[in-house]
Amino acid sequence: MTRPNLQIALDHSDLPNALKDVKEVGDIVDILEVGTILCLQAGEEAIRCIRALYPDKKVVADTKCADAGGTVAANCRTAGADWMTVICCATVPTMSAAAKEIEEVQVELYGDWTYEQAQKWLDAGISQAIYHQSRDALLAGETWGEKDLVKVKRLIEMGFRVSVTGGLTVETLQLFEGLDVYTFITGRGITGAEKPKQAAQEFQAEIERIWG
Amino acid sequence: MTRPNLQIALDHSDLPNALKDVKEVGDIVDILEVGTILCLQAGEEAIRCIRALYPDKKVVADTKCADAGGTVAANCRTAGADWMTVICCATVPTMSAAAKEIEEVQVELYGDWTYEQAQKWLDAGISQAIYHQSRDALLAGETWGEKDLVKVKRLIEMGFRVSVTGGLTVETLQLFEGLDVYTFITGRGITGAEKPKQAAQEFQAEIERIWG
């Protein structure tokens, strides 16, 4: 079983605060995500800054792209992103168009989707999926459970490299023990901690303990 | 039957070119849309510029928001947008959170969705829907047809104010005759014309001819 990556989601509403937080933990995590909120607020400048600061890390633009996949992907690549996200209700032509322009595309799973659709994404060359507890659903009281783990397992068995995200803490990582998770994504689980650097180190230590 | 609005979608990859185009047609159209590509490239600055140039027009941020609805909506409102879009596969809590923070939210219909879901959006206070021919689907050869018109009609009958978009031309407007379309959205149908100002005027004249 491969050791999962740790990805920091920079979901700030302004670039300066995102830079301040990433400076603390950027060298500790494996993947740096320019979150949707930050993309929409700071534009491509955010991707360019993160790329400039961390030339050797994977950078993901969490565009949750729904249309014009080719243009959005080319723009993200030009700004320095390695990967980008598309939303699961985008059409397969949108996903394919994106996949042609950037190294890798990740499908973000929100709302209703089917394994039949997922197979079509795989067939179109999309090899990564992000299983998500919606932030608003979490705020509404939902949490991780067996129903989620079953879906994550099935996606992995289908052949996706699967990232999981949404309200993750160091304590919740053990829920995924035995699963070949590709990446754990957390935002405020690290940036909202009293000591973000220590929080990132604790996440990595727990990943190492379970999967190392 | 109310006269439909004309909305210009600014789907540029850079702000200067978007400003150049909007200057030609901003006074002629009814609604100004900061398109998804432009939002992702130029960030909130794009919304701020369009708002500053056209203080009396409706401004829509086409964020296609899938999560963190409250934060994205508050950010869009702060930058000067009247309305914003959410993607149809967002959860109802995401849509509700957005609707609390901004004047109006529009659901963008992509991929698979059901009338049962649409009723839930209405129940959650979302009163606008955008019926879409995906740009990538259009590039793949799909076009407007009876199957689209049936869906648009049913959404209107359910109580949505419905915008239609995707590859619209002055000639295709008559396909919608007899339907109470709320807004026609076009991007390159105007900005890609040889004379954008004249194209916008022709769209408005055709709308006036059919619905005026």
mmCIF file of all heavy atoms in Angstrom, chain A residues 13 37 39-41 43-44 64 66-69 71 75 87 89 91 93-94 110-112 117 132 134-136, chain B residues 13 37 39-41 43-44 64 66-69 71-72 75 87 89 91 93-94 110-112 117 132 134-136:
data_model
loop_
_atom_site.group_PDB
_atom_site.id
_atom_site.type_symbol
_atom_site.label_atom_id
_atom_site.label_comp_id
_atom_site.label_asym_id
_atom_site.label_seq_id
_atom_site.Cartn_x
_atom_site.Cartn_y
_atom_site.Cartn_z
ATOM 1 N N SER A 13 -9.800 33.827 1.256
ATOM 2 C CA SER A 13 -10.478 34.809 0.416
ATOM 3 C C SER A 13 -9.527 35.889 -0.079
ATOM 4 O O SER A 13 -9.925 36.780 -0.817
ATOM 5 C CB SER A 13 -11.648 35.452 1.176
ATOM 6 O OG SER A 13 -12.755 34.568 1.206
ATOM 7 N N ILE A 37 -12.145 29.101 -3.660
ATOM 8 C CA ILE A 37 -12.414 30.462 -3.165
ATOM 9 C C ILE A 37 -11.266 31.392 -3.554
ATOM 10 O O ILE A 37 -11.481 32.504 -4.038
ATOM 11 C CB ILE A 37 -12.603 30.442 -1.627
ATOM 12 C CG1 ILE A 37 -13.863 29.649 -1.253
ATOM 13 C CG2 ILE A 37 -12.647 31.862 -1.066
ATOM 14 C CD1 ILE A 37 -13.992 29.356 0.244
ATOM 15 N N CYS A 39 -9.001 30.887 -5.994
ATOM 16 C CA CYS A 39 -8.997 31.051 -7.461
ATOM 17 C C CYS A 39 -9.965 32.160 -7.868
ATOM 18 O O CYS A 39 -9.638 33.018 -8.703
ATOM 19 C CB CYS A 39 -9.427 29.752 -8.151
ATOM 20 S SG CYS A 39 -8.179 28.442 -8.198
ATOM 21 N N LEU A 40 -11.162 32.127 -7.302
ATOM 22 C CA LEU A 40 -12.187 33.098 -7.694
ATOM 23 C C LEU A 40 -11.862 34.507 -7.190
ATOM 24 O O LEU A 40 -12.277 35.491 -7.799
ATOM 25 C CB LEU A 40 -13.557 32.670 -7.152
ATOM 26 C CG LEU A 40 -14.181 31.435 -7.816
ATOM 27 C CD1 LEU A 40 -15.405 30.972 -7.032
ATOM 28 C CD2 LEU A 40 -14.568 31.740 -9.271
ATOM 29 N N GLN A 41 -11.125 34.601 -6.103
ATOM 30 C CA GLN A 41 -10.804 35.923 -5.560
ATOM 31 C C GLN A 41 -9.551 36.532 -6.180
ATOM 32 O O GLN A 41 -9.525 37.705 -6.519
ATOM 33 C CB GLN A 41 -10.625 35.838 -4.031
ATOM 34 C CG GLN A 41 -11.911 35.688 -3.263
ATOM 35 C CD GLN A 41 -12.775 36.929 -3.367
ATOM 36 O OE1 GLN A 41 -13.729 36.960 -4.152
ATOM 37 N NE2 GLN A 41 -12.471 37.970 -2.617
ATOM 38 N N GLY A 43 -7.627 35.014 -8.762
ATOM 39 C CA GLY A 43 -7.369 34.656 -10.148
ATOM 40 C C GLY A 43 -6.074 33.877 -10.337
ATOM 41 O O GLY A 43 -5.546 33.296 -9.392
ATOM 42 N N GLU A 44 -5.568 33.900 -11.566
ATOM 43 C CA GLU A 44 -4.363 33.120 -11.886
ATOM 44 C C GLU A 44 -3.141 33.560 -11.086
ATOM 45 O O GLU A 44 -2.192 32.798 -10.907
ATOM 46 C CB GLU A 44 -4.046 33.231 -13.383
ATOM 47 C CG GLU A 44 -3.780 34.647 -13.820
ATOM 48 C CD GLU A 44 -3.076 34.746 -15.182
ATOM 49 O OE1 GLU A 44 -2.611 33.743 -15.712
ATOM 50 O OE2 GLU A 44 -3.019 35.874 -15.702
ATOM 51 N N LYS A 64 -12.810 23.396 -10.067
ATOM 52 C CA LYS A 64 -14.118 22.721 -10.163
ATOM 53 C C LYS A 64 -14.774 23.059 -11.506
ATOM 54 O O LYS A 64 -15.953 23.416 -11.585
ATOM 55 C CB LYS A 64 -15.038 23.111 -9.004
ATOM 56 C CG LYS A 64 -14.539 22.634 -7.645
ATOM 57 C CD LYS A 64 -15.560 22.903 -6.542
ATOM 58 C CE LYS A 64 -15.126 22.309 -5.211
ATOM 59 N NZ LYS A 64 -13.930 22.934 -4.643
ATOM 60 N N ALA A 66 -16.611 23.302 -14.905
ATOM 61 C CA ALA A 66 -17.855 22.690 -15.380
ATOM 62 C C ALA A 66 -18.023 22.820 -16.888
ATOM 63 O O ALA A 66 -18.890 22.174 -17.469
ATOM 64 C CB ALA A 66 -19.052 23.329 -14.680
ATOM 65 N N ASP A 67 -17.246 23.669 -17.511
ATOM 66 C CA ASP A 67 -17.391 23.916 -18.949
ATOM 67 C C ASP A 67 -16.115 24.585 -19.452
ATOM 68 O O ASP A 67 -15.303 25.051 -18.655
ATOM 69 C CB ASP A 67 -18.602 24.820 -19.192
ATOM 70 C CG ASP A 67 -19.122 24.710 -20.629
ATOM 71 O OD1 ASP A 67 -18.568 23.929 -21.418
ATOM 72 O OD2 ASP A 67 -20.085 25.426 -20.950
ATOM 73 N N ALA A 68 -15.973 24.634 -20.755
ATOM 74 C CA ALA A 68 -14.800 25.261 -21.357
ATOM 75 C C ALA A 68 -13.521 24.653 -20.786
ATOM 76 O O ALA A 68 -12.556 25.350 -20.460
ATOM 77 C CB ALA A 68 -14.827 26.784 -21.139
ATOM 78 N N GLY A 69 -13.535 23.329 -20.670
ATOM 79 C CA GLY A 69 -12.425 22.614 -20.038
ATOM 80 C C GLY A 69 -11.068 22.893 -20.670
ATOM 81 O O GLY A 69 -10.077 23.041 -19.956
ATOM 82 N N THR A 71 -9.982 25.585 -22.326
ATOM 83 C CA THR A 71 -9.492 26.935 -22.029
ATOM 84 C C THR A 71 -9.046 27.059 -20.578
ATOM 85 O O THR A 71 -7.961 27.583 -20.283
ATOM 86 C CB THR A 71 -10.591 27.984 -22.314
ATOM 87 O OG1 THR A 71 -10.995 27.864 -23.673
ATOM 88 C CG2 THR A 71 -10.089 29.395 -22.043
ATOM 89 N N ASN A 75 -5.224 27.718 -19.307
ATOM 90 C CA ASN A 75 -4.932 28.868 -18.445
ATOM 91 C C ASN A 75 -4.243 28.435 -17.151
ATOM 92 O O ASN A 75 -3.299 29.083 -16.694
ATOM 93 C CB ASN A 75 -6.221 29.627 -18.119
ATOM 94 C CG ASN A 75 -6.750 30.426 -19.303
ATOM 95 O OD1 ASN A 75 -6.025 30.659 -20.269
ATOM 96 N ND2 ASN A 75 -8.000 30.834 -19.239
ATOM 97 N N ILE A 87 -15.741 19.406 -12.080
ATOM 98 C CA ILE A 87 -16.876 18.965 -11.280
ATOM 99 C C ILE A 87 -17.506 17.754 -11.960
ATOM 100 O O ILE A 87 -17.494 17.644 -13.185
ATOM 101 C CB ILE A 87 -17.881 20.127 -11.097
ATOM 102 C CG1 ILE A 87 -18.845 19.844 -9.965
ATOM 103 C CG2 ILE A 87 -18.610 20.472 -12.392
ATOM 104 C CD1 ILE A 87 -18.290 20.100 -8.608
ATOM 105 N N CYS A 89 -20.470 16.844 -12.570
ATOM 106 C CA CYS A 89 -21.600 16.991 -13.490
ATOM 107 C C CYS A 89 -21.191 17.661 -14.802
ATOM 108 O O CYS A 89 -22.032 17.908 -15.667
ATOM 109 C CB CYS A 89 -22.768 17.730 -12.835
ATOM 110 S SG CYS A 89 -22.378 19.353 -12.227
ATOM 111 N N THR A 91 -19.713 17.614 -18.541
ATOM 112 C CA THR A 91 -19.837 16.565 -19.559
ATOM 113 C C THR A 91 -18.471 15.906 -19.791
ATOM 114 O O THR A 91 -17.424 16.495 -19.495
ATOM 115 C CB THR A 91 -20.323 17.161 -20.893
ATOM 116 O OG1 THR A 91 -19.359 18.105 -21.360
ATOM 117 C CG2 THR A 91 -21.670 17.857 -20.730
ATOM 118 N N PRO A 93 -17.050 15.450 -22.696
ATOM 119 C CA PRO A 93 -16.233 16.297 -23.597
ATOM 120 C C PRO A 93 -15.488 17.411 -22.856
ATOM 121 O O PRO A 93 -14.350 17.734 -23.203
ATOM 122 C CB PRO A 93 -17.278 16.883 -24.565
ATOM 123 C CG PRO A 93 -18.365 15.869 -24.601
ATOM 124 C CD PRO A 93 -18.433 15.286 -23.216
ATOM 125 N N THR A 94 -16.121 17.992 -21.823
ATOM 126 C CA THR A 94 -15.436 19.022 -21.033
ATOM 127 C C THR A 94 -14.224 18.429 -20.326
ATOM 128 O O THR A 94 -13.130 19.009 -20.329
ATOM 129 C CB THR A 94 -16.402 19.649 -20.005
ATOM 130 O OG1 THR A 94 -17.385 20.406 -20.706
ATOM 131 C CG2 THR A 94 -15.666 20.571 -19.036
ATOM 132 N N TYR A 110 -19.454 15.592 -6.216
ATOM 133 C CA TYR A 110 -20.436 16.349 -5.421
ATOM 134 C C TYR A 110 -21.823 15.880 -5.817
ATOM 135 O O TYR A 110 -22.051 15.558 -6.993
ATOM 136 C CB TYR A 110 -20.350 17.844 -5.734
ATOM 137 C CG TYR A 110 -19.348 18.595 -4.912
ATOM 138 C CD1 TYR A 110 -18.059 18.777 -5.383
ATOM 139 C CD2 TYR A 110 -19.706 19.117 -3.677
ATOM 140 C CE1 TYR A 110 -17.135 19.484 -4.628
ATOM 141 C CE2 TYR A 110 -18.785 19.818 -2.923
ATOM 142 C CZ TYR A 110 -17.502 19.994 -3.397
ATOM 143 O OH TYR A 110 -16.597 20.685 -2.656
ATOM 144 N N GLY A 111 -22.734 15.889 -4.877
ATOM 145 C CA GLY A 111 -24.131 15.584 -5.186
ATOM 146 C C GLY A 111 -24.275 14.167 -5.717
ATOM 147 O O GLY A 111 -23.561 13.246 -5.300
ATOM 148 N N ASP A 112 -25.191 13.985 -6.656
ATOM 149 C CA ASP A 112 -25.478 12.651 -7.175
ATOM 150 C C ASP A 112 -24.579 12.318 -8.364
ATOM 151 O O ASP A 112 -24.449 13.101 -9.284
ATOM 152 C CB ASP A 112 -26.945 12.565 -7.624
ATOM 153 C CG ASP A 112 -27.893 12.780 -6.456
ATOM 154 O OD1 ASP A 112 -27.578 12.287 -5.353
ATOM 155 O OD2 ASP A 112 -28.919 13.456 -6.637
ATOM 156 N N GLN A 117 -21.236 6.568 -14.585
ATOM 157 C CA GLN A 117 -20.576 7.808 -15.021
ATOM 158 C C GLN A 117 -19.074 7.718 -14.749
ATOM 159 O O GLN A 117 -18.250 8.086 -15.587
ATOM 160 C CB GLN A 117 -21.157 9.013 -14.276
ATOM 161 C CG GLN A 117 -22.578 9.369 -14.680
ATOM 162 C CD GLN A 117 -23.138 10.477 -13.797
ATOM 163 O OE1 GLN A 117 -23.033 10.417 -12.578
ATOM 164 N NE2 GLN A 117 -23.718 11.495 -14.419
ATOM 165 N N HIS A 132 -15.608 13.759 -1.493
ATOM 166 C CA HIS A 132 -15.786 15.021 -0.804
ATOM 167 C C HIS A 132 -16.923 14.984 0.192
ATOM 168 O O HIS A 132 -18.009 14.534 -0.137
ATOM 169 C CB HIS A 132 -16.168 16.058 -1.868
ATOM 170 C CG HIS A 132 -15.506 17.357 -1.672
ATOM 171 N ND1 HIS A 132 -15.883 18.250 -0.722
ATOM 172 C CD2 HIS A 132 -14.465 17.918 -2.305
ATOM 173 C CE1 HIS A 132 -15.122 19.315 -0.792
ATOM 174 N NE2 HIS A 132 -14.237 19.131 -1.750
ATOM 175 N N SER A 134 -19.039 17.712 1.501
ATOM 176 C CA SER A 134 -19.257 19.130 1.251
ATOM 177 C C SER A 134 -19.120 19.920 2.544
ATOM 178 O O SER A 134 -19.588 19.516 3.601
ATOM 179 C CB SER A 134 -20.657 19.335 0.669
ATOM 180 O OG SER A 134 -21.151 20.613 0.999
ATOM 181 N N ARG A 135 -18.439 21.043 2.431
ATOM 182 C CA ARG A 135 -18.253 21.927 3.573
ATOM 183 C C ARG A 135 -19.600 22.353 4.155
ATOM 184 O O ARG A 135 -19.799 22.375 5.369
ATOM 185 C CB ARG A 135 -17.482 23.150 3.076
ATOM 186 C CG ARG A 135 -17.138 24.168 4.126
ATOM 187 C CD ARG A 135 -16.035 25.056 3.581
ATOM 188 N NE ARG A 135 -16.103 26.392 4.130
ATOM 189 C CZ ARG A 135 -15.280 27.375 3.793
ATOM 190 N NH1 ARG A 135 -14.349 27.156 2.880
ATOM 191 N NH2 ARG A 135 -15.374 28.565 4.330
ATOM 192 N N ASP A 136 -20.546 22.642 3.254
ATOM 193 C CA ASP A 136 -21.863 23.067 3.735
ATOM 194 C C ASP A 136 -22.625 21.901 4.350
ATOM 195 O O ASP A 136 -23.378 22.084 5.304
ATOM 196 C CB ASP A 136 -22.654 23.704 2.593
ATOM 197 C CG ASP A 136 -21.994 24.992 2.105
ATOM 198 O OD1 ASP A 136 -21.728 25.868 2.949
ATOM 199 O OD2 ASP A 136 -21.719 25.110 0.908
ATOM 200 N N SER B 13 -10.064 35.403 -21.252
ATOM 201 C CA SER B 13 -9.007 34.894 -20.381
ATOM 202 C C SER B 13 -8.183 36.017 -19.753
ATOM 203 O O SER B 13 -7.279 35.746 -18.964
ATOM 204 C CB SER B 13 -8.085 33.942 -21.155
ATOM 205 O OG SER B 13 -8.697 32.680 -21.329
ATOM 206 N N ILE B 37 -14.428 31.729 -16.874
ATOM 207 C CA ILE B 37 -13.011 31.806 -17.274
ATOM 208 C C ILE B 37 -12.382 33.095 -16.750
ATOM 209 O O ILE B 37 -11.282 33.098 -16.194
ATOM 210 C CB ILE B 37 -12.895 31.728 -18.816
ATOM 211 C CG1 ILE B 37 -13.351 30.354 -19.313
ATOM 212 C CG2 ILE B 37 -11.473 32.036 -19.283
ATOM 213 C CD1 ILE B 37 -13.536 30.273 -20.829
ATOM 214 N N CYS B 39 -13.521 35.010 -14.210
ATOM 215 C CA CYS B 39 -13.457 34.939 -12.741
ATOM 216 C C CYS B 39 -12.185 34.207 -12.303
ATOM 217 O O CYS B 39 -11.472 34.647 -11.402
ATOM 218 C CB CYS B 39 -14.662 34.187 -12.177
ATOM 219 S SG CYS B 39 -16.213 35.120 -12.142
ATOM 220 N N LEU B 40 -11.914 33.071 -12.952
ATOM 221 C CA LEU B 40 -10.768 32.247 -12.550
ATOM 222 C C LEU B 40 -9.435 32.905 -12.917
ATOM 223 O O LEU B 40 -8.425 32.662 -12.274
ATOM 224 C CB LEU B 40 -10.849 30.864 -13.199
ATOM 225 C CG LEU B 40 -11.959 29.947 -12.669
ATOM 226 C CD1 LEU B 40 -12.082 28.705 -13.550
ATOM 227 C CD2 LEU B 40 -11.695 29.541 -11.215
ATOM 228 N N GLN B 41 -9.440 33.733 -13.950
ATOM 229 C CA GLN B 41 -8.185 34.363 -14.383
ATOM 230 C C GLN B 41 -7.904 35.675 -13.650
ATOM 231 O O GLN B 41 -6.783 35.927 -13.241
ATOM 232 C CB GLN B 41 -8.227 34.637 -15.894
ATOM 233 C CG GLN B 41 -8.048 33.407 -16.746
ATOM 234 C CD GLN B 41 -6.652 32.818 -16.597
ATOM 235 O OE1 GLN B 41 -6.448 31.870 -15.843
ATOM 236 N NE2 GLN B 41 -5.681 33.382 -17.283
ATOM 237 N N GLY B 43 -9.973 37.036 -11.071
ATOM 238 C CA GLY B 43 -10.452 37.109 -9.691
ATOM 239 C C GLY B 43 -11.507 38.180 -9.497
ATOM 240 O O GLY B 43 -12.142 38.650 -10.441
ATOM 241 N N GLU B 44 -11.666 38.587 -8.244
ATOM 242 C CA GLU B 44 -12.712 39.558 -7.899
ATOM 243 C C GLU B 44 -12.502 40.905 -8.598
ATOM 244 O O GLU B 44 -13.447 41.680 -8.777
ATOM 245 C CB GLU B 44 -12.776 39.763 -6.384
ATOM 246 C CG GLU B 44 -11.480 40.338 -5.819
ATOM 247 C CD GLU B 44 -11.627 40.923 -4.416
ATOM 248 O OE1 GLU B 44 -12.760 41.102 -3.947
ATOM 249 O OE2 GLU B 44 -10.591 41.220 -3.787
ATOM 250 N N LYS B 64 -20.223 29.364 -10.949
ATOM 251 C CA LYS B 64 -20.596 27.938 -10.976
ATOM 252 C C LYS B 64 -20.207 27.274 -9.651
ATOM 253 O O LYS B 64 -19.635 26.176 -9.624
ATOM 254 C CB LYS B 64 -19.943 27.222 -12.155
ATOM 255 C CG LYS B 64 -20.434 27.694 -13.512
ATOM 256 C CD LYS B 64 -19.904 26.843 -14.651
ATOM 257 C CE LYS B 64 -20.484 27.241 -16.005
ATOM 258 N NZ LYS B 64 -20.146 28.629 -16.423
ATOM 259 N N ALA B 66 -19.761 25.309 -6.350
ATOM 260 C CA ALA B 66 -20.115 23.929 -6.006
ATOM 261 C C ALA B 66 -20.040 23.670 -4.507
ATOM 262 O O ALA B 66 -20.524 22.659 -4.024
ATOM 263 C CB ALA B 66 -19.197 22.954 -6.725
ATOM 264 N N ASP B 67 -19.425 24.587 -3.774
ATOM 265 C CA ASP B 67 -19.237 24.388 -2.342
ATOM 266 C C ASP B 67 -18.893 25.745 -1.725
ATOM 267 O O ASP B 67 -18.571 26.687 -2.442
ATOM 268 C CB ASP B 67 -18.103 23.370 -2.099
ATOM 269 C CG ASP B 67 -18.181 22.755 -0.712
ATOM 270 O OD1 ASP B 67 -19.125 23.065 0.043
ATOM 271 O OD2 ASP B 67 -17.285 21.963 -0.371
ATOM 272 N N ALA B 68 -18.950 25.780 -0.383
ATOM 273 C CA ALA B 68 -18.636 27.027 0.320
ATOM 274 C C ALA B 68 -19.477 28.179 -0.221
ATOM 275 O O ALA B 68 -18.986 29.292 -0.415
ATOM 276 C CB ALA B 68 -17.139 27.329 0.203
ATOM 277 N N GLY B 69 -20.756 27.895 -0.426
ATOM 278 C CA GLY B 69 -21.667 28.863 -1.029
ATOM 279 C C GLY B 69 -21.726 30.193 -0.298
ATOM 280 O O GLY B 69 -21.759 31.255 -0.932
ATOM 281 N N THR B 71 -19.435 31.702 1.618
ATOM 282 C CA THR B 71 -18.214 32.494 1.454
ATOM 283 C C THR B 71 -18.115 33.063 0.037
ATOM 284 O O THR B 71 -17.826 34.256 -0.151
ATOM 285 C CB THR B 71 -16.966 31.622 1.740
ATOM 286 O OG1 THR B 71 -17.069 31.120 3.069
ATOM 287 C CG2 THR B 71 -15.687 32.432 1.592
ATOM 288 N N VAL B 72 -18.347 32.214 -0.952
ATOM 289 C CA VAL B 72 -18.236 32.674 -2.342
ATOM 290 C C VAL B 72 -19.270 33.776 -2.615
ATOM 291 O O VAL B 72 -18.949 34.798 -3.233
ATOM 292 C CB VAL B 72 -18.410 31.490 -3.335
ATOM 293 C CG1 VAL B 72 -18.498 31.988 -4.773
ATOM 294 C CG2 VAL B 72 -17.242 30.509 -3.191
ATOM 295 N N ASN B 75 -18.239 37.018 -0.961
ATOM 296 C CA ASN B 75 -17.133 37.616 -1.708
ATOM 297 C C ASN B 75 -17.622 38.283 -2.993
ATOM 298 O O ASN B 75 -17.176 39.381 -3.338
ATOM 299 C CB ASN B 75 -16.082 36.548 -2.053
ATOM 300 C CG ASN B 75 -15.269 36.122 -0.840
ATOM 301 O OD1 ASN B 75 -15.272 36.797 0.195
ATOM 302 N ND2 ASN B 75 -14.584 35.005 -0.955
ATOM 303 N N ILE B 87 -23.602 25.530 -9.379
ATOM 304 C CA ILE B 87 -23.729 24.387 -10.282
ATOM 305 C C ILE B 87 -24.808 23.454 -9.747
ATOM 306 O O ILE B 87 -24.993 23.344 -8.533
ATOM 307 C CB ILE B 87 -22.354 23.680 -10.430
ATOM 308 C CG1 ILE B 87 -22.349 22.746 -11.623
ATOM 309 C CG2 ILE B 87 -21.966 22.953 -9.169
ATOM 310 C CD1 ILE B 87 -22.128 23.444 -12.939
ATOM 311 N N CYS B 89 -25.069 20.332 -9.385
ATOM 312 C CA CYS B 89 -24.738 19.201 -8.526
ATOM 313 C C CYS B 89 -24.249 19.648 -7.149
ATOM 314 O O CYS B 89 -23.866 18.815 -6.314
ATOM 315 C CB CYS B 89 -23.729 18.270 -9.191
ATOM 316 S SG CYS B 89 -22.186 19.034 -9.627
ATOM 317 N N THR B 91 -24.843 20.795 -3.334
ATOM 318 C CA THR B 91 -25.882 20.378 -2.400
ATOM 319 C C THR B 91 -26.834 21.542 -2.134
ATOM 320 O O THR B 91 -26.473 22.711 -2.327
ATOM 321 C CB THR B 91 -25.263 19.922 -1.061
ATOM 322 O OG1 THR B 91 -24.577 21.044 -0.483
ATOM 323 C CG2 THR B 91 -24.287 18.772 -1.268
ATOM 324 N N PRO B 93 -27.775 22.611 0.812
ATOM 325 C CA PRO B 93 -27.181 23.524 1.810
ATOM 326 C C PRO B 93 -26.224 24.549 1.195
ATOM 327 O O PRO B 93 -26.181 25.700 1.618
ATOM 328 C CB PRO B 93 -26.440 22.572 2.756
ATOM 329 C CG PRO B 93 -27.185 21.283 2.665
ATOM 330 C CD PRO B 93 -27.673 21.192 1.232
ATOM 331 N N THR B 94 -25.457 24.132 0.176
ATOM 332 C CA THR B 94 -24.551 25.079 -0.500
ATOM 333 C C THR B 94 -25.350 26.184 -1.186
ATOM 334 O O THR B 94 -25.031 27.380 -1.063
ATOM 335 C CB THR B 94 -23.668 24.346 -1.537
ATOM 336 O OG1 THR B 94 -22.744 23.507 -0.838
ATOM 337 C CG2 THR B 94 -22.889 25.326 -2.406
ATOM 338 N N TYR B 110 -26.140 21.509 -15.740
ATOM 339 C CA TYR B 110 -25.142 20.773 -16.522
ATOM 340 C C TYR B 110 -25.325 19.292 -16.249
ATOM 341 O O TYR B 110 -25.673 18.915 -15.138
ATOM 342 C CB TYR B 110 -23.718 21.166 -16.100
ATOM 343 C CG TYR B 110 -23.170 22.371 -16.815
ATOM 344 C CD1 TYR B 110 -23.285 23.627 -16.257
ATOM 345 C CD2 TYR B 110 -22.520 22.237 -18.033
ATOM 346 C CE1 TYR B 110 -22.777 24.734 -16.905
ATOM 347 C CE2 TYR B 110 -22.001 23.335 -18.676
ATOM 348 C CZ TYR B 110 -22.133 24.583 -18.114
ATOM 349 O OH TYR B 110 -21.618 25.675 -18.759
ATOM 350 N N GLY B 111 -25.050 18.474 -17.223
ATOM 351 C CA GLY B 111 -25.073 17.030 -17.028
ATOM 352 C C GLY B 111 -26.453 16.550 -16.618
ATOM 353 O O GLY B 111 -27.471 17.063 -17.067
ATOM 354 N N ASP B 112 -26.469 15.550 -15.733
ATOM 355 C CA ASP B 112 -27.743 14.950 -15.337
ATOM 356 C C ASP B 112 -28.337 15.668 -14.123
ATOM 357 O O ASP B 112 -27.655 15.896 -13.138
ATOM 358 C CB ASP B 112 -27.540 13.469 -14.986
ATOM 359 C CG ASP B 112 -27.054 12.679 -16.186
ATOM 360 O OD1 ASP B 112 -27.545 12.960 -17.299
ATOM 361 O OD2 ASP B 112 -26.186 11.808 -16.010
ATOM 362 N N GLN B 117 -35.032 17.232 -8.150
ATOM 363 C CA GLN B 117 -34.003 18.111 -7.582
ATOM 364 C C GLN B 117 -34.389 19.574 -7.788
ATOM 365 O O GLN B 117 -34.261 20.395 -6.877
ATOM 366 C CB GLN B 117 -32.655 17.854 -8.269
ATOM 367 C CG GLN B 117 -32.008 16.522 -7.928
ATOM 368 C CD GLN B 117 -30.758 16.282 -8.769
ATOM 369 O OE1 GLN B 117 -30.764 16.467 -9.992
ATOM 370 N NE2 GLN B 117 -29.674 15.875 -8.125
ATOM 371 N N HIS B 132 -28.515 25.192 -20.336
ATOM 372 C CA HIS B 132 -27.210 25.334 -20.959
ATOM 373 C C HIS B 132 -26.964 24.299 -22.022
ATOM 374 O O HIS B 132 -27.182 23.130 -21.802
ATOM 375 C CB HIS B 132 -26.161 25.112 -19.849
ATOM 376 C CG HIS B 132 -25.036 26.055 -19.924
ATOM 377 N ND1 HIS B 132 -24.031 25.906 -20.822
ATOM 378 C CD2 HIS B 132 -24.757 27.162 -19.223
ATOM 379 C CE1 HIS B 132 -23.170 26.896 -20.656
ATOM 380 N NE2 HIS B 132 -23.586 27.663 -19.695
ATOM 381 N N SER B 134 -23.742 22.966 -23.241
ATOM 382 C CA SER B 134 -22.326 23.035 -22.899
ATOM 383 C C SER B 134 -21.504 23.422 -24.122
ATOM 384 O O SER B 134 -21.727 22.932 -25.220
ATOM 385 C CB SER B 134 -21.849 21.683 -22.373
ATOM 386 O OG SER B 134 -20.478 21.496 -22.638
ATOM 387 N N ARG B 135 -20.567 24.346 -23.892
ATOM 388 C CA ARG B 135 -19.677 24.788 -24.960
ATOM 389 C C ARG B 135 -18.944 23.603 -25.566
ATOM 390 O O ARG B 135 -18.815 23.502 -26.786
ATOM 391 C CB ARG B 135 -18.685 25.778 -24.338
ATOM 392 C CG ARG B 135 -17.725 26.397 -25.285
ATOM 393 C CD ARG B 135 -17.104 27.615 -24.593
ATOM 394 N NE ARG B 135 -15.784 27.883 -25.082
ATOM 395 C CZ ARG B 135 -15.016 28.869 -24.658
ATOM 396 N NH1 ARG B 135 -15.471 29.685 -23.723
ATOM 397 N NH2 ARG B 135 -13.832 29.076 -25.142
ATOM 398 N N ASP B 136 -18.499 22.694 -24.709
ATOM 399 C CA ASP B 136 -17.777 21.533 -25.227
ATOM 400 C C ASP B 136 -18.713 20.582 -25.960
ATOM 401 O O ASP B 136 -18.311 19.950 -26.927
ATOM 402 C CB ASP B 136 -17.051 20.829 -24.077
ATOM 403 C CG ASP B 136 -15.963 21.717 -23.494
ATOM 404 O OD1 ASP B 136 -15.125 22.207 -24.256
ATOM 405 O OD2 ASP B 136 -15.974 21.940 -22.277
#
